[in-house]
Amino acid sequence: ITYGAPRPDAPPGPMELFTASGRLFPVVVIACARTETLRNTLSSLLSAGASPADILVAQDGANSAVAAVVAEFGVMHKAKRPPLVPLNGAQHIARVYKFGLTRAFEDVFPDAPAVLVVEDDLVVSKDFFDYFSAVAPALERDDSLFVASAWNDNGFAAHADPGALRRTGWFPGLGWLLPRKLWETELHPQWPDGHWDHWMRSDEVARGRECVYPVVNRASHESEYGTFLDAWHDKRYFKPIVRQRSRFDWPSDAWRSVLRDAYEDRVRGLLAAAEHVSDVNAAVVGSALETTTPLALWFDFEENDDAPPGAADAWAPPPFVCVSEPFDLWHESRRADHRGVHEVVGAAGRPVLLVKAPVAYDSLRPDGLTPLARSECPSVTWEDLGKEG
């Protein structure tokens, strides 16, 4: 799908007008049976500036302890009836999402042009609402954008710029802005009966659109276990997330940096000015240098490439670990990437780009530079990464 040019000078849309009037986007909190994490979520939302009238807890089932926490905070409450037939975890989650979002848009917040969606194990930053107010205008002026999230899957760097924004083709979830128009015209009519987040990432739903996210997370995940979460993933990919602790003063034009054309110009400018390498060790050493010259590491292997002869057995991490491990990224290459590019900040502030060839930017790869191949990467097992079988 080809989208038209962004419209930076278009009049304000419904979301921008809503926040300009002093309103905060209302929040739908998806809950089931956890009380302490729900209490932490609600406390953080109120600390960030929400009033109880801005918050709806959509509860899966009728756990009385959860209902008591909701009553304690005085927020809005809708409880979904227990199902008549047994459901698996993905079905439970998908159905309570549909229930909560439908009730939010139709009954509880009928004048809201968008809602924020969080689960009952997230704690949000002081500028959580400020962030979404700052980026919402981009969604209204750029048809190649989809939603905005508070979450960076690779938000592990303590020295990152708190005002930096990125685009990704991977829907992050975990605290996200859902425009009413998107819900009513696209999502609600075909909402799935399981694995709703995978569905959001599918080509039929995303249709080539990207999501906005902050380099420094505006939410953190506070539960070690969940329907699809275990202790290893939590320790490795959730606990180390760096959440913005103080309120950040977002510029009024922050959204302009993620409009498609401006964003592409910035990425292409970094690659045009970069030192280019195809060796991981050279990239690691170079990333630590005190220089503003960008560094680009080129690689050429797919997420699902077969392991080369003699490599670890089928219970092996995806090939992306070859470049993700040295730079402390998720082992899944699509998370937080933009058209095959991951941006990293070196210890001394050097911009580093990990670039998948030959997808989007191969014309900027120097002649004669052969991208890193899967066969040049050492074999790595899940045991090497600390994961038990």
Side-chain angles (χ1 to χ4, degrees):
I1 294 177
T2 301
Y3 294 100
R7 305 171 298 280
D9 300 320
M15 291 191 291
E16 185 176 358
L17 291 171
F18 186 81
T19 59
S21 72
R23 304 279 299 277
L24 300 181
F25 290 123
V27 185
V28 180
V29 180
I30 305 297
C32 181
R34 295 181 288 199
T35 54
E36 286 310 306
T37 57
L38 175 60
R39 182 174 281 108
N40 292 340
T41 298
L42 295 175
S43 295
S44 70
L45 288 168
L46 295 174
S47 295
S51 73
D54 296 323
I55 302 171
L56 167 66
V57 175
Q59 182 183 354
D60 185 14
N63 184 296
S64 59
V66 168
V69 172
V70 174
E72 172 188 332
F73 283 86
V75 300
M76 313 294 281
H77 185 213
K78 296 284 185 180
K80 180 181 174 297
R81 294 175 183 172
L84 299 177
V85 296
L87 302 176
N88 61 35
Q91 289 174 312
H92 269 286
I93 295 170
R95 290 187 183 191
V96 72
Y97 261 87
K98 184 175 183 179
F99 166 80
L101 295 173
T102 302
R103 296 282 66 79
F105 281 117
E106 293 185 2
D107 304 336
V108 184
F109 310 117
D111 66 334
V115 298
L116 299 173
V117 189
V118 305
E119 293 190 10
D120 61 354
D121 53 7
L122 289 184
V123 170
V124 307
S125 297
K126 297 289 186 184
D127 66 342
F128 180 76
F129 293 99
D130 302 333
Y131 159 70
F132 284 109
S133 296
V135 300
L139 304 187
E140 298 185 302
R141 291 172 168 83
D142 187 346
D143 295 335
S144 71
L145 288 173
F146 186 36
V147 299
S149 173
W151 188 267
N152 175 7
D153 278 307
N154 291 318
F156 310 120
H159 58 287
D161 177 1
L165 301 172
R166 296 286 183 266
R167 294 173 58 119
T168 179
W170 176 271
F171 168 72
L174 295 171
W176 52 289
L177 176 68
L178 172 58
R180 175 183 289 274
K181 181 180 178 182
L182 178 65
W183 171 253
E184 292 180 345
T185 63
E186 297 185 39
L187 304 186
H188 183 260
Q190 55 177 338
W191 193 258
D193 198 38
H195 295 292
W196 70 272
D197 50 344
H198 299 330
W199 176 77
M200 288 283 288
R201 296 172 187 130
S202 67
D203 291 340
E204 66 169 310
V205 176
R207 304 204 325 253
R209 292 172 292 190
E210 293 191 300
C211 309
V212 178
Y213 70 92
V215 171
V216 180
N217 290 54
R218 263 51 186 196
S220 55
H221 191 270
E222 303 292 331
S223 179
E224 186 172 309
Y225 292 96
T227 305
F228 300 106
L229 178 66
D230 56 38
W232 181 82
H233 280 85
D234 179 62
K235 181 179 180 180
R236 186 174 179 85
Y237 296 123
F238 291 95
K239 275 193 169 63
I241 287 291
V242 176
R243 172 166 55 87
Q244 178 71 12
R245 296 290 172 172
S246 58
R247 189 179 294 276
F248 179 76
D249 187 14
W250 287 95
S252 61
D253 62 348
W255 54 271
R256 291 179 178 270
S257 69
V258 289
L259 295 182
R260 185 194 63 198
D261 296 348
Y263 197 85
E264 288 301 318
D265 286 347
R266 185 187 66 81
V267 174
R268 289 183 173 277
L270 288 171
L271 288 171
E275 172 191 352
H276 299 269
V277 299
S278 59
D279 178 84
V280 174
N281 292 330
V284 170
V285 172
S287 69
L289 298 179
E290 292 188 27
T291 176
T292 57
T293 300
L295 178 68
L297 169 62
W298 293 80
F299 65 95
D300 186 9
F301 37 79
E302 299 292 343
E303 177 90 49
N304 58 353
D305 269 356
D306 292 332
D313 62 16
W315 196 62
F320 189 58
V321 297
C322 184
V323 292
S324 67
E325 282 300 293
F327 290 98
D328 295 324
L329 304 181
W330 257 88
H331 60 269
E332 296 174 354
S333 65
R334 290 188 59 205
R335 288 184 182 267
D337 95 310
H338 167 72
R339 304 181 72 200
V341 173
H342 289 273
E343 294 187 48
V344 181
V345 180
R350 185 178 195 183
V352 179
L353 297 95
L354 311 179
V355 190
K356 169 73 176 73
V359 181
Y361 300 102
D362 209 49
S363 63
L364 294 168
R365 177 168 56 90
D367 293 340
L369 181 75
T370 302
L372 177 71
R374 169 75 186 269
S375 60
E376 299 173 83
C377 296
S379 296
V380 178
T381 67
W382 284 119
E383 290 95 333
D384 294 332
L385 305 181
K387 186 176 182 180
E388 298 177 359

